[in-house]
Amino acid sequence: MMNLAVFASGSGSNFESLVNAVEKGQLKADIKLLVCDKKDAYVIERAKNHGIPVFLFQPKNYPTKAAFEEEILCELQNWNVDLVVLAGYMRLIGPTLLAAFEHRIINIHPSLLPAFPGLDAIGQAFEAGVKVSGVTIHYVDAGMDTGPIIAQESVKVEESDTKEDLQRKIQQIEHDLYPTTLQRVIEQMTRRV
Ligand code: GRF
């Protein structure tokens, strides 16, 4: 079994969809750990409900990003984590984790990258008036929402759609696309070993 750690900072609907996919046997992996940088994030509740350990840290208690990433790295090693899955983790991954998990950190972003990287991608796309947007899953590198693309799925933006409609459509896609894409990545990784 491949061991995963999910990093999240917010509501955690993607975290939940991954946990559900594991519980249903659609995603053949163990989610060993949730890494969270926000003590009030709802994702922590979700992890507790599923009995998944949480590593909660407060970035402001560390002098540097390298310092808290060293500690995260220790946790990942303790749990024998093979693959890091970002699901709404609102920080850039630094050199410490990138070096230790080269090509083994994956992110989901709610736009068709390279369009609309960064914060509030759905709002950016909506304001731009695009007729098509979507979801991207990609390997993480040092940039903001850059790195090789693994999968994308598009969604039509209808004339009558509000930003909330678009958000709902995108989330629906995310909750299917992330588990199925991760399962594919895991199959490729295990074939290589
Ligand atoms: C998702 O839209 C994801 O694409 C982005 O952050 C959001 C997280 O939502 N990176 P949730 O916390 O999983 O509900």
Side-chain angles (χ1 to χ4, degrees):
M1 270 298 197
M2 199 59 82
N3 292 335
L4 311 189
V6 180
F7 287 31
S9 309
S11 142
S13 70
N14 280 282
F15 171 80
E16 185 92 42
S17 79
L18 295 173
V19 173
N20 289 337
V22 167
E23 287 174 355
K24 285 191 208 137
Q26 293 160 350
L27 175 56
K28 294 178 182 57
D30 274 342
I31 299 178
K32 292 288 186 189
L33 185 67
L34 170 72
V35 174
C36 182
D37 60 342
K38 291 254 164 40
K39 65 176 177 6
D40 298 323
Y42 183 59
V43 69
I44 295 172
E45 289 301 310
R46 298 189 197 256
K48 286 187 178 155
N49 291 339
H50 290 278
I52 294 175
V54 179
F55 176 65
L56 174 65
F57 69 101
Q58 302 237 31
K60 67 168 171 23
N61 294 344
Y62 298 82
T64 57
K65 181 184 293 236
F68 66 71
E69 286 201 343
E70 285 293 345
E71 211 159 288
I72 295 173
L73 185 54
C74 271
E75 288 291 327
L76 299 179
Q77 286 163 346
N78 284 342
W79 289 97
N80 281 315
V81 168
D82 302 297
L83 190 64
V84 169
V85 175
L86 309 185
Y89 180 66
M90 303 304 281
R91 290 178 185 279
L92 283 178
I93 300 291
T96 308
L97 286 176
L98 279 175
F101 279 82
E102 222 190 329
H103 304 302
R104 292 188 298 147
I105 308 179
I106 293 177
N107 182 40
I108 186 165
H109 185 77
S111 74
L112 292 177
L113 291 172
F116 311 120
L119 288 178
D120 191 22
I122 297 172
Q124 291 184 54
F126 189 76
E127 290 305 319
V130 294
K131 302 300 174 204
V132 176
S133 190
V135 173
T136 302
I137 294 167
H138 65 96
Y139 289 106
V140 171
D141 65 11
M144 162 99 80
D145 301 317
T146 54
I149 291 172
I150 304 169
Q152 286 186 311
E153 193 169 319
S154 62
V155 64
K156 268 192 168 173
V157 188
E158 304 293 346
E159 213 61 60
S160 58
D161 279 348
T162 61
K163 186 184 156 187
E164 288 67 37
D165 294 329
L166 178 57
Q167 182 154 0
R168 238 187 323 273
K169 288 185 189 178
I170 292 219
Q171 276 181 346
Q172 244 175 35
I173 293 177
E174 288 189 328
H175 298 162
D176 283 339
L177 191 65
Y178 217 4
T180 52
T181 303
L182 286 173
Q183 177 56 29
R184 255 193 18 240
V185 168
I186 286 170
E187 282 166 18
Q188 283 166 3
M189 283 172 75
T190 30
R191 241 176 281 143
R192 247 181 271 138
V193 175

